[in-house]
C-alpha cells in the first residue's frame, strides 16, 4: 500500500511531512494472539509495534538490519483539546489522547502535500472545494507536480472565474 508520512519523523534522514513510500511489513506486538481472518478482516488486540516503509527517497541508503530505503515508523501520541459549553452553559475542556501511525494512504492528497514532489501520473480536480477557495497558486502546484504534460489528466474543465478572479482582482 502506498503511504505518505504526515509529520516530520526524522529530519536528518529527510523523513518529513509529505514523504511517500510503500508499506513492506507490519511488525505485531509480541503478545498478539494467533489471528484468524473473519470475512477477510484481521482484528488486532494491540497496536502494531511499528510499520516498515520503503521510502521513495531518503538521505541514507540503508539503516542497519533493514533493506535499502526501508525505515520503521512507530506510532506517536497526539493530544487534542476539546472545548464546549455543557447543558448548564459552563465552559468545559477535555483532553483527548490518541496513538496512531504518522502516515496516511497516498493515492490521493492535496496540493499542499504535493509541493516539492515529482509524481509520475497526476489527476487534478480543479473544481471549487466545498470549503475555502481555489486560486491559480493551487492549480500551479497541482499541475506542476507531474513529470510532463502527457501525464496530467483533469477531472473537469477550467472555470474562468476561478483563474481570472484570483489573480487579477475585479475587472475595471
Amino acid at each position: 500500500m502506498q503511504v505518505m508520512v504526515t509529520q516530520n519523523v526524522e529530519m536528518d534522514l529527510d523523513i518529513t511531512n509529505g514523504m511517500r513510500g510503500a508499506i513492506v511489513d507490519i511488525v505485531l506486538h509480541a503478545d498478539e494472539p494467533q489471528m484468524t481472518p473473519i470475512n477477510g478482516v484481521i482484528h488486532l488486540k494491540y497496536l502494531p509495534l511499528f510499520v516498515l516503509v520503503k521510502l521513495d527517497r531518503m538521505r541514507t541508503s540503508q539503516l542497519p538490519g533493514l533493506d535499502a530505503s526501508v525505515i520503521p515508523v512507530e506510532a506517536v501520541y497526539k493530544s487534542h483539546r476539546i472545548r464546549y459549553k455543557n447543558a448548564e452553559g459552563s465552559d468545559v475542556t477535555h483532553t483527548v489522547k490518541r496513538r496512531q501511525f504518522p502516515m496516511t494512504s497516498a493515492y490521493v492528497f492535496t496540493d499542499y502535500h504535493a509541493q516539492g514532489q515529482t509524481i509520475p501520473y497526476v489527476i487534478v480536480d480543479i473544481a471549487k472545494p466545498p470549503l475555502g477557495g481555489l486560486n491559480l497558486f493551487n492549480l500551479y502546484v497541482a499541475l506542476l507536480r507531474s513529470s510532463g504534460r502527457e501525464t496530467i489528466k483533469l477531472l473537469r474543465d477550467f472555470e474562468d472565474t476561478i483563474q481570472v478572479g484570483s489573480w487579477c482582482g475585479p475587472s475595471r
Side-chain angles (χ1 to χ4, degrees):
M1 175 177 166
Q2 293 292 314
V3 293
M4 176 185 296
V5 176
T6 57
Q7 71 180 51
N8 294 337
V9 174
E10 181 58 59
M11 301 289 288
D12 293 339
L13 299 177
D14 199 25
I15 304 167
T16 57
N17 186 9
M19 179 64 67
R20 292 180 297 132
I23 293 176
V24 295
D25 198 6
I26 298 173
V27 178
L28 300 179
H29 191 280
D31 295 333
E32 190 67 55
Q34 187 66 25
M35 296 174 287
T36 305
I38 301 170
N39 297 327
V41 176
I42 295 175
H43 296 275
L44 300 177
K45 187 173 180 179
Y46 302 98
L47 191 66
L49 293 178
F50 53 88
V51 177
L52 292 175
V53 177
K54 182 173 179 66
L55 295 175
D56 293 344
R57 72 180 207 292
M58 62 186 262
R59 286 195 181 137
T60 185
S61 58
Q62 191 167 3
L63 294 175
L66 296 172
D67 292 339
S69 299
V70 173
I71 59 150
V73 178
E74 296 178 321
V76 296
Y77 284 98
K78 288 283 195 175
S79 295
H80 302 277
R81 285 188 187 263
I82 300 171
R83 294 185 180 106
Y84 61 93
K85 291 195 182 287
N86 63 14
E88 293 80 36
S90 300
D91 290 329
V92 178
T93 302
H94 287 285
T95 300
V96 176
K97 287 185 177 183
R98 68 178 184 183
R99 190 170 175 215
Q100 70 180 51
F101 291 96
M103 64 179 92
T104 188
S105 173
Y107 294 102
V108 176
F109 44 90
T110 65
D111 60 318
Y112 175 79
H113 276 104
Q115 290 185 59
Q117 299 188 45
T118 300
I119 303 167
Y121 296 94
V122 178
I123 300 173
V124 180
D125 186 0
I126 56 174
K128 184 175 180 182
L131 299 172
L134 180 68
N135 60 40
L136 281 179
F137 178 74
N138 300 114
L139 295 174
Y140 171 82
V141 169
L143 294 173
L144 289 184
R145 298 309 93 207
S146 173
S147 56
R149 188 181 332 181
E150 302 78 27
T151 63
I152 299 173
K153 299 293 180 207
L154 299 179
L155 287 180
R156 60 191 86 228
D157 291 331
F158 284 95
E159 293 179 32
D160 291 338
T161 57
I162 294 173
Q163 285 74 34
V164 175
S166 297
W167 284 87
C168 299
S171 55
R172 296 178 190 224

